[in-house]
Amino acid sequence: MRFGVNYTPSEGWFHHWLDFDLDSVRADLDSIAALDVDHVRVFPLWPYFQPNRSLIRERAVEHLVALADAAGERGLDVNVDGLQGHLSSFDFVPAWTRTWHRRNLFTDPDVIDGQAAYLRTLAAALAGRSNFLGMTLGNEVNQFSAGPHPDPDRATSAQIDAWLERMLAACEEGAPGRMHLHAEYDATWYQDDQPFTPAQAARRGAVTAVHSWVFNGTAQRHGRTSVPSEHHAAYLVELSKAWADDPHRPVWLQEVGAPAPLVPAEHAAAFTEATVENALDCPGLWGVTWWCSHDVSRSLADFPELEYGLGLLTNDRRPKDSARVLASAARAARDGARPAPAPRTT
């Protein structure tokens, strides 16, 4: 059973790739390792790493490898998201796919070739690192494929399936035998016009990833302490299994957090404890990766209000009560202090 965090740099947010400071990254990773978690999920921003279809910046890739090495020095494994993609309400897609160069992210042959080359390059750069778990194709890339996105890249489910196969193959070519996967936001499971389907989520890639956010209407309708809210992550884990061909296919709770004001700061620890406790009762759960490591600095503008306080650690790296809850669960899992989940019945 794995516990980790989605790494949000305390200085500069994900824009830190523009002014990469390894000392600051090391300090962040020290504060993460102190929580007794065993892995981080990291996010190179696609336009910063591949600003032109035929240019993948070597210096940026070197920074990613340096981050992975620093994580390894602290006992942390690393999963790398490739096509960023969408983060915290902002889209990060390169100029060679938009406006005057508008091309479909999922169907244009030149774009697909560029994406495959990028993913292959990142995977290959990390292939020799023992703490490299594998690639996630990108963060919730399905949000680009349908509404409510204001400018969606429409595609059929068959076209998306071909795209997923090509992208996962590129990751495997770069780093054979690692845990490569794709991850979508939860519209995959219930939005009718989504070309990213539940069957694809539960069958493509090494594991099924689910992202659980109760701001999707669950907490608004039922309240933060309700059974639906406190079991939302467990619900998605179990729902995803219904679509898997392999009954033993592992599921990764890759994103879950306590979003304010639906979950006020003073209740975040209790929500974290309940959410984790219920998720751990799901057989076949590979791990829990909390969103996120550090708060977003108030010096950065235009984020949704909830994004500023989602961290387990403050912007100056101090642990919150929710961090202590997650650390306790991680230690219990590591020490074998938890009983195995009871098998589900039909």
Side-chain angles (χ1 to χ4, degrees):
M1 181 64 204
R2 309 296 298 269
F3 278 87
V5 298
N6 292 275
Y7 173 39
T8 302
S10 65
E11 297 183 22
W13 192 65
F14 297 109
H15 303 302
H16 82 135
W17 296 110
L18 293 171
D19 300 292
F20 189 75
D21 182 345
L22 188 55
D23 288 338
S24 177
V25 168
R26 286 170 173 153
D28 285 347
L29 294 173
D30 284 337
S31 64
I32 291 170
L35 303 180
D36 284 327
V37 297
D38 57 53
H39 69 276
V40 290
R41 178 174 170 229
V42 301
F43 302 86
L45 291 187
W46 183 18
Y48 298 173
F49 278 64
Q50 192 183 24
N52 183 273
R53 186 164 57 89
S54 61
L55 172 63
I56 300 168
R57 294 177 52 242
E58 291 184 13
R59 186 63 173 155
V61 176
E62 290 170 359
H63 288 157
L64 176 62
V65 173
L67 188 158
D69 287 344
E73 292 165 2
R74 289 150 179 82
L76 297 169
D77 290 341
V78 174
N79 172 265
V80 176
D81 265 50
L83 300 170
Q84 276 2 293
H86 179 82
L87 288 166
S88 303
S89 84
F90 293 97
D91 285 350
F92 295 94
V93 287
W96 47 271
T97 68
R98 287 297 179 259
T99 59
W100 300 104
H101 294 263
R102 184 68 168 86
R103 290 177 283 192
N104 191 292
L105 294 174
F106 306 112
T107 63
D108 184 272
D110 289 338
V111 172
I112 291 172
D113 285 347
Q115 293 168 328
Y118 174 58
L119 292 170
R120 188 184 306 112
T121 298
L122 295 189
L126 294 161
R129 267 62 185 180
S130 61
N131 68 318
F132 173 50
L133 291 171
M135 299 292 297
T136 300
L137 296 188
N139 183 53
E140 302 182 352
V141 289
N142 62 318
Q143 68 94 23
F144 288 105
S145 67
H149 194 279
D151 183 24
D153 292 71
R154 300 284 185 181
T156 66
S157 290
Q159 289 170 323
I160 293 298
D161 202 52
W163 182 83
L164 288 169
E165 183 176 14
R166 175 74 185 281
M167 296 301 111
L168 289 166
C171 296
E172 182 67 17
E173 290 162 9
R178 301 302 177 111
M179 189 179 76
H180 304 304
L181 66 147
H182 66 102
E184 325 309 338
Y185 86 105
D186 56 359
T188 283
W189 306 105
Y190 54 70
Q191 187 172 322
D192 289 342
D193 66 343
Q194 266 286 327
F196 284 80
T197 68
Q200 292 163 347
R203 297 169 192 175
R204 288 278 186 199
V207 301
T208 301
V210 296
H211 293 187
S212 172
W213 289 104
V214 295
F215 58 59
N216 67 351
T218 303
Q220 292 93 323
R221 179 171 183 173
H222 300 287
R224 60 175 171 79
T225 60
S226 64
V227 169
S229 292
E230 292 186 345
H231 286 75
H232 187 259
Y235 165 73
L236 287 178
V237 169
E238 291 299 325
L239 177 63
S240 75
K241 295 178 185 178
W243 293 90
D245 291 330
D246 176 5
H248 303 294
R249 177 178 168 89
V251 181
W252 180 2
L253 180 54
Q254 194 184 45
E255 279 188 29
V256 60
L262 296 170
V263 181
E266 62 270 24
H267 298 292
F271 178 83
T272 302
E273 184 174 23
T275 295
V276 170
E277 185 75 14
N278 293 323
L280 292 181
D281 193 45
C282 298
L285 185 66
W286 179 87
V288 176
T289 309
W290 202 261
W291 189 284
C292 55
S293 65
H294 298 82
D295 285 345
V296 176
S297 171
R298 289 283 176 179
S299 67
L300 296 173
D302 300 329
F303 284 82
E305 182 62 27
L306 68 90
E307 296 285 348
Y308 288 103
L310 280 173
L312 293 166
L313 301 140
T314 63
N315 200 236
D316 56 359
R317 307 187 180 103
R318 289 180 291 107
K320 303 178 186 176
D321 289 341
S322 52
R324 286 181 271 274
V325 167
L326 193 74
S328 177
R331 283 192 296 271
R334 181 195 62 204
D335 298 338
R338 291 191 55 84
R344 291 284 193 265
T345 66
T346 54

